[in-house]
Amino acid sequence: MLLQRFFVDHLQQHRSFSPCTISAYRDTFKLLLHFAEMHLGKTPVTLALADLDAKLLLAFLDYLERERHNATRSRNARLAALRSFLKYAAHYDLNALPIIEQALAVPMKRFERPMLGFLSREEIDAVLDAPEPSGWTGQRDRALLTMLYNTGARVSEVVTIRIKDVILDHSPCVHLHGKGRKNRSVPLWRSTAELMRKWKRCLHSTEDSSFLFPNRGGNEMTRSNVTQRLALAVSNAAVKCSSLRRHAISPHTIRHATAMHLLQSGVDITVIALWLGHESPATTHMYVEADLTMKQRALNRLKPAKTNSPRYRPPDQLMKFLESL
């Protein structure tokens, strides 16, 4: 079956896609095959490549947005997976090539990019201090949130940190295994390194391969678990810092805050791109656009300098001459 070869041979062996990408592609085709069965009355076994025409794809994408309430970005991600399969299939079924070309012409949908939101330093400090330090869970949450803010890491990167990835001697740093299987090292602030030393003494397992921030069972925390713990910290912090109630805060919000605070501290944008693990510094430019403080400083440079000198007035003879012209 062509679809099976696409997943086993093309994605796994030839392209060596990550398990997360393959899972996303799998979910796309599960949705498509279910939709095709409802729309065309054909089971996945009887569905032919020629059935995947532009009309069906457009109806499927519309179904995702209207009935499943998917965002435009999710819609485009599903379309990207389908395009990848159609390009692969074009080499094996030349008879369906005209239909595939029409399907590949289905465009990505444009969408509005919302203004980037981030937390102030006072708000971040309130969130980091919110977990109760007396219990094991509170100590883990405080260390976890501090690591998120220090590194600006994605939540998927933080939950996979193992004890061996944290270097606390001489020049403290942490090795992160990032998106797209890219690895990077991020320095730790002195306060963060000290907090990590205290946290490591609280761990039940000190083996190098153990997770640095495990759940109660010693296993890897899930992303939803981190989101829940952050929500609890924000709720507690909002008692003292009421401005937190105006924000919708996720682990990615802390990543944004790290980038903005580095930018406001004068760190070069290319260094921030390396810090966050961006493939291109162009991705980091959205933080420049969102920083109103930097915009105000630039605006102030354009203001004319104030002067106490009187306004120039030409001599009376010159004024009479000009008036006579």
Side-chain angles (χ1 to χ4, degrees), residues 283-302:
T283 310
T284 319
H285 276 286
M286 63 179 178
Y287 297 106
V288 179
E289 296 173 359
D291 191 354
L292 293 177
T293 303
M294 296 184 68
K295 290 179 181 178
Q296 185 62 47
R297 287 202 298 263
L299 185 63
N300 292 338
R301 295 193 189 103
L302 297 177

Side-chain angles (χ1 to χ4, degrees), residues 208-259:
D208 287 347
S209 59
S210 299
F211 292 108
L212 182 65
F213 305 113
N215 58 22
R216 282 288 186 179
N219 300 316
E220 177 183 340
M221 293 181 71
T222 63
R223 288 179 290 183
S224 60
N225 190 197
V226 175
T227 302
Q228 292 171 355
R229 302 307 303 177
L230 174 60
L232 179 61
V234 171
S235 177
N236 294 334
V239 176
K240 295 182 179 179
C241 185
S242 60
S243 61
L244 287 169
R245 297 191 182 98
R246 301 195 300 264
H247 300 284
I249 301 174
S250 68
H252 218 70
T253 308
I254 298 182
R255 176 175 167 85
H256 293 328
T258 303

Side-chain angles (χ1 to χ4, degrees), residues 37-207:
E37 188 171 2
M38 293 189 304
H39 196 73
L40 302 177
K42 291 187 176 183
T43 63
V45 177
T46 59
L47 191 69
L49 184 61
D51 294 322
L52 302 181
D53 55 10
K55 182 179 179 180
L56 179 69
L57 293 191
L58 287 171
F60 172 64
L61 297 173
D62 188 58
Y63 158 78
L64 292 178
E65 288 190 281
R66 292 191 176 184
E67 297 191 30
R68 293 186 59 85
H69 307 291
N70 285 175
T72 305
R73 287 189 177 187
S74 299
R75 172 203 185 274
N76 289 342
R78 302 297 187 196
L79 179 56
L82 296 174
R83 280 181 170 181
S84 180
F85 170 70
L86 291 173
K87 290 177 181 178
Y88 169 81
H91 297 283
Y92 296 92
D93 192 343
L94 298 180
N95 294 327
L97 193 57
I99 297 176
I100 291 176
E101 289 179 348
Q102 292 179 4
L104 288 173
V106 174
M108 293 288 182
K109 191 172 183 178
R110 295 177 63 87
F111 58 92
E112 293 184 3
R113 296 182 181 273
M115 179 64 72
L116 185 68
F118 64 97
L119 302 178
S120 67
R121 294 174 188 265
E122 293 76 13
E123 290 170 334
I124 279 289
D125 289 339
V127 172
L128 298 184
D129 292 338
E132 178 58 45
S134 58
W136 184 90
T137 303
Q139 291 178 337
R140 181 205 59 192
D141 291 352
R142 180 169 289 198
L144 171 66
L145 297 178
T146 301
M147 181 66 79
L148 274 172
Y149 177 57
N150 186 150
T151 60
R154 303 173 181 90
V155 64
S156 58
E157 296 170 343
V158 167
V159 296
T160 56
I161 296 176
R162 299 181 184 270
I163 293 178
K164 63 181 179 181
D165 296 325
V166 181
I167 310 300
L168 298 176
D169 299 329
H170 306 298
S171 299
C173 67
V174 58
H175 303 305
L176 298 175
H177 308 286
K179 185 178 179 181
R181 286 170 291 185
K182 298 183 182 69
N183 300 326
R184 69 184 188 279
S185 297
V186 179
L188 296 178
W189 302 321
R190 186 176 302 174
S191 58
T192 305
E194 182 59 31
L195 183 61
M196 292 304 116
R197 292 189 186 98
K198 293 180 180 178
W199 168 239
K200 285 180 68 175
R201 292 195 289 267
C202 300
L203 288 171
H204 303 306
S205 174
T206 56
E207 295 182 4

